Amino acid sequence: MQIPPPADLSATSRILVYGVTGSGKTTYAARLAGATGLPWHEADALTWEPGWVSVPVEEQRRRIAAIAASDRWILDTAYGHWRDLVVPRAELVVALDYSRALTFARLLRRTIARSIDKRPICNGNVESLAHAFTRDSILWWHLTSFGRKQQRIAQWCEDPLGPVVVRFRRPREARLWLDALAACACP
């Protein structure tokens, strides 16, 4: 697919940043919000309570439905429990579809760094090395979800009835596009 130039997106006001685990969705969504002025909603902060307690699915759906129903937003992922609420409302999907080696290496580095420095993430939660190598860890999630997420991105790219998909295979492509978007002050 030809990547639309940022100037062609001036009327876009509902953006889903989606990608494989470890692709940098949250960081990219935050930068995208800064470049566009659209309000950004961090999915992890909406779905995890302190102590890594999962928000009940019904409450997740309620929270996400309220965001998806609004006119202007950026979400940094779409979890399976509520993807059906977001994708039909998205005008643009920014797909960070990077390689397994790159994203796993990023994720491993990030997990180790956060385990050491105990930097709080979503709602004050912290990562630990003890948890990093369990079947409940983000590393395990990467290994088991990678293929499904790539397939989903490919399906969205082929769906003529779905939102526009801007698919990046390399971080440099995504960075240059975002820089161009920021430079033209759109959407």
Side-chain angles (χ1 to χ4, degrees), residues 107-120 126-133:
L107 199 56
L108 183 60
R109 277 192 310 272
R110 184 186 83 185
T111 300
I112 291 170
R114 286 179 178 173
S115 295
I116 292 168
D117 69 16
K118 299 298 182 198
R119 180 178 355 144
V126 295
E127 294 188 52
S128 72
L129 283 177
H131 186 260
F133 299 100

Side-chain angles (χ1 to χ4, degrees), residues 28-47:
Y28 198 85
R31 287 193 61 214
L32 185 59
T36 63
L38 293 171
W40 161 52
H41 304 276
E42 182 183 356
D44 284 347
L46 297 165
T47 58

Side-chain angles (χ1 to χ4, degrees), residues 21-142:
T21 305
S23 60
K25 297 177 296 292
T26 300
T27 300
Y28 198 85
R31 287 193 61 214
L32 185 59
T36 63
L38 293 171
W40 161 52
H41 304 276
E42 182 183 356
D44 284 347
L46 297 165
T47 58
W48 292 103
E49 296 294 338
W52 291 113
V53 174
S54 181
V55 171
V57 171
E58 302 80 30
E59 177 60 15
Q60 288 183 36
R61 288 185 62 81
R62 187 196 66 73
R63 292 175 182 183
I64 298 302
I67 293 165
S70 67
D71 291 332
R72 302 177 75 243
W73 49 262
I74 295 173
L75 269 167
D76 61 4
T77 198
Y79 293 139
H81 295 303
W82 42 262
R83 187 179 312 112
D84 63 309
L85 302 172
V86 175
V87 175
R89 291 278 299 151
E91 296 170 328
L92 173 68
V93 174
V94 176
L96 306 179
D97 191 10
Y98 307 151
S99 74
R100 183 185 295 269
L102 172 72
T103 54
F104 190 81
R106 278 181 164 188
L107 199 56
L108 183 60
R109 277 192 310 272
R110 184 186 83 185
T111 300
I112 291 170
R114 286 179 178 173
S115 295
I116 292 168
D117 69 16
K118 299 298 182 198
R119 180 178 355 144
I121 53 176
C122 62
N123 294 319
N125 290 306
V126 295
E127 294 188 52
S128 72
L129 283 177
H131 186 260
F133 299 100
T134 69
R135 285 189 171 246
D136 291 328
S137 78
I138 193 79
L139 299 172
W140 184 258
W141 179 249
H142 177 279

